[in-house]
Amino acid sequence: MRARQTLRDGFSTYSSDIDGDKLDTSVHVQETLLKESVNPSWRLSLPHVLTGVISSFLFGYHLGVVNEPLESISLDLGFSGNSLAEGLVVSTCLGGAFLGSIVSGSIADAVGRRRGFQLSALPMIIGAFLSARTESLEGMLLGRFLVGTGMGVGPSVASLYVTEVSPSFVRGTYGSFIQIATCLGLMSSLLIGIPAKEIAGWWRVCFWVSAIPAAILALAMEFCAESPQWLHKKGRSAEAEAEFEKLLGGLHVKSAMADLSKSDRVDEPDTVKFSELFYGRHFRVVLIGSALYAFQQLSGINAVFYFSSTVLKSAGVPSDKGNICVGIVNLSGSIIAMTLMDKLGRKLLLLGSFFGMAVAMCIQASASSFSASGASPYLSVGGMLLFVLMFALGAGPVPGLLLPEILPNRLRAKAMSFCLAVHWVVNFFIGLLFLRLLEQLGSRTLYSIFACFCLTGFVFVKKNVVETKGKSLQEIEISFLPQVPLV
């Protein structure tokens, strides 16, 4: 309606200044444009978004690439039976990801989103080569660390890029592509890793393969549009107009540029300092973003993923089939979220997701209370699959989309890097402490704690998160900051 009213007002002003014999032509043009330009074509921006989410595919792939081949890797490199070394092969990647997430905002602000993608792909290519060719544990750890730095940069830049190049009416759908690509990456790594136990040296192939999508990402970004928001912030307005034309079509360039100009009136033009994230009006938005990522991890999602094979085996399901089952549920939930993101909105999906995960954790806790019952394994499996499904519907995909929407253009990149750093820190401690807590507290108590965190996340979202569905980034920036209620 707003687009139609703007066009009508514009044509009314224009028509008053022309000769009467041109009025019919003006009216005809007006009617044509009203039919054709209510929303820009989603097809223009789709190739750019699909290219950007290759980084999310790589993120998922490298998270799961050592799961199946780890036993073969330890035998070939001479650290079989050394649980500390095996743990380092898995967790070194997380250390690199934390470092990458810290610097991702500065990289994205300094060189742009396209170059940020290319810089994230470079260490993933080098790290994959080192991991595939190494003959020692040290070489493997170095390769995994380099891959991790690229993984840390990639998700932050992907969230920024997809949010900034997507038309507002499909931004939620496109944002869901990030989670779907991550799921596909995880599933691909599990499938490619299956022959590792049967074929000597197959684990090296698993690493070689990962260099292919990384190289495609680096090369394809040369042909993709840069973020118009970043260009405008750098004072390159003419280039921003050209990129808007690629992404939205020529009819929508002026309105998009007008929206960017509106945001200039409520935000400072100079570069943000990292310290500004922690005080004043900016802090309130960053706090919401950090809390969402913290609740995402405190829900227990990684603990569920880590021990899915054990739970499924207890019900008589083989580990390889069980992992595929979990992957299918995760992917299915992400696809459902994609179809609902721009219909139901971000907030409703988050609320339903956190509440559903709390219910699933209660089922898990109940299953552990009736360990002697023959139904216990099936309750555990049902609760676990329900938890994964509910996570994929909201808590998984929404934070990475919502945060770039609510964060002002001036500090979007640096704030995203900080919020993702919080994600990695909480992720690390959950992985570090889960087994010890499980031994000391028992599964029923621990699952109940996870359920409480999910319910706390539900309350937090209810009171603090605003709906952004269908709004332009500039509309959100203008309206959101002055009225963020916090408990």
Side-chain angles (χ1 to χ4, degrees):
M1 293 299 294
R2 182 177 297 177
R4 287 191 172 95
Q5 186 62 45
T6 302
L7 282 170
R8 290 193 183 101
D9 292 345
F11 276 106
S12 297
T13 303
Y14 175 71
S15 298
S16 65
D17 295 331
I18 62 175
D19 297 330
D21 60 342
K22 295 183 180 180
L23 184 59
D24 291 339
T25 301
S26 174
V27 172
H28 174 73
V29 172
Q30 175 186 0
E31 291 175 350
T32 301
L33 290 179
L34 283 173
K35 291 177 182 178
E36 297 180 356
S37 63
V38 173
N39 282 319
S41 173
W42 54 267
R43 295 179 180 86
L44 295 175
S45 53
L46 181 60
H48 307 271
V49 171
L50 292 178
T51 303
V53 299
I54 294 175
S55 67
S56 300
F57 175 89
L58 286 163
F59 174 76
Y61 186 93
H62 284 294
L63 278 180
V65 70
V66 298
N67 285 359
E68 289 291 336
L70 185 58
E71 183 178 344
S72 300
I73 293 172
S74 63
L75 286 171
D76 287 356
L77 300 185
F79 58 89
S80 179
N82 186 337
S83 59
L84 176 60
E86 291 178 353
L88 284 173
V89 170
V90 175
S91 61
T92 299
C93 197
L94 300 180
F98 173 75
L99 178 62
S101 68
I102 288 292
V103 301
S104 62
S106 298
I107 290 174
D109 271 344
V111 301
R113 308 336 185 200
R114 290 170 61 237
R115 295 290 179 255
F117 277 123
Q118 292 173 324
L119 288 176
S120 74
L122 183 60
M124 284 194 276
I125 294 173
I126 297 173
F129 283 170
L130 287 175
S131 299
R133 293 178 58 86
T134 187
E135 298 293 339
S136 67
L137 173 62
E138 292 76 16
M140 175 60 70
L141 295 180
L142 177 59
R144 292 288 288 164
F145 182 81
L146 287 174
V147 163
T149 59
M151 287 171 59
V153 174
S156 177
V157 178
S159 294
L160 293 170
Y161 186 74
V162 171
T163 299
E164 292 173 347
V165 305
S166 301
S168 59
F169 74 103
V170 291
R171 194 168 57 237
T173 301
Y174 284 176
S176 299
F177 288 178
I178 294 175
Q179 180 71 7
I180 292 173
T182 303
C183 294
L184 290 174
L186 275 167
M187 293 179 68
S188 298
S189 66
L190 293 174
L191 291 172
I192 291 174
I194 289 175
K197 295 178 181 178
E198 306 294 333
I199 303 176
W202 182 261
W203 62 269
R204 298 183 187 274
V205 176
C206 298
F207 288 108
W208 283 117
V209 167
S210 68
I212 297 174
I216 292 174
L217 173 64
L219 293 174
M221 267 297 147
E222 282 296 317
F223 305 97
C224 289
E226 181 55 272
S227 162
Q229 280 79 7
W230 179 78
L231 291 169
H232 181 76
K233 187 171 68 171
K234 294 295 182 180
R236 297 157 62 177
S237 297
E239 294 176 60
E241 288 188 26
E243 301 295 25
F244 268 135
E245 187 168 358
K246 290 181 188 177
L247 297 166
L248 306 177
L251 295 176
H252 299 271
V253 172
K254 289 187 178 179
S255 61
M257 291 301 296
D259 280 341
L260 284 180
S261 298
K262 288 177 185 177
S263 67
D264 286 341
R265 299 170 191 169
V266 297
D267 215 354
E268 301 88 344
D270 55 329
T271 303
V272 68
K273 297 179 181 178
F274 212 91
S275 59
E276 291 183 57
L277 303 181
F278 308 108
Y279 63 84
R281 65 190 182 99
H282 298 323
F283 172 72
R284 307 179 77 178
V285 186
V286 173
L287 177 60
I288 290 177
S290 302
L292 284 178
Y293 271 121
F295 283 123
Q296 180 195 70
Q297 296 303 305
L298 290 170
S299 69
I301 182 59
N302 283 319
V304 169
F305 278 136
Y306 293 157
F307 294 94
S308 61
S309 296
T310 303
V311 173
L312 290 163
K313 279 182 180 179
S314 68
V317 180
S319 61
D320 55 347
K321 293 181 180 179
N323 286 328
I324 292 174
C325 183
V326 171
I328 290 174
V329 171
N330 195 12
L331 178 61
S332 300
S334 300
I335 293 174
I336 295 171
M338 176 188 70
T339 63
L340 298 178
M341 195 77 73
D342 287 310
K343 295 179 181 179
L344 299 182
R346 289 57 151 160
K347 184 172 183 177
L348 186 58
L349 286 180
L350 274 178
L351 290 172
S353 178
F354 277 115
F355 186 80
M357 287 192 295
V359 171
M361 275 298 176
C362 288
I363 294 175
Q364 291 274 67
S366 300
S368 62
S369 299
F370 301 103
S371 56
S373 170
S376 178
Y378 301 100
L379 279 175
S380 295
V381 171
M384 184 194 67
L385 294 180
L386 176 63
F387 185 91
V388 172
L389 176 64
M390 297 310 300
F391 175 84
L393 286 175
V398 172
L401 168 67
L402 182 68
L403 299 195
E405 288 183 321
I406 67 176
L407 292 167
N409 185 38
R410 176 170 169 262
L411 58 88
R412 187 174 291 136
K414 287 186 174 64
M416 275 298 298
S417 70
F418 175 79
C419 293
L420 279 167
V422 171
H423 163 274
W424 286 112
V425 169
V426 179
N427 187 350
F428 172 79
F429 281 106
I430 291 292
L432 179 66
L433 299 175
F434 178 77
L435 278 178
R436 177 174 288 273
L437 290 174
L438 187 63
E439 291 174 357
Q440 294 186 352
L441 301 177
S443 58
R444 180 176 62 179
T445 301
L446 187 55
Y447 286 144
S448 299
I449 291 173
F450 285 144
C452 290
F453 277 122
C454 291
L455 289 176
T456 305
F458 174 88
V459 173
F460 183 86
V461 170
K462 181 74 174 177
K463 293 190 174 183
N464 298 299
V465 173
V466 298
E467 185 53 68
T468 58
K469 177 186 67 173
K471 298 179 181 179
S472 72
L473 296 179
Q474 287 66 44
E475 288 175 326
I476 298 168
E477 181 172 340
I478 292 170
S479 64
F480 182 83
L481 287 174
Q483 52 184 16
V484 179
L486 283 173
V487 291

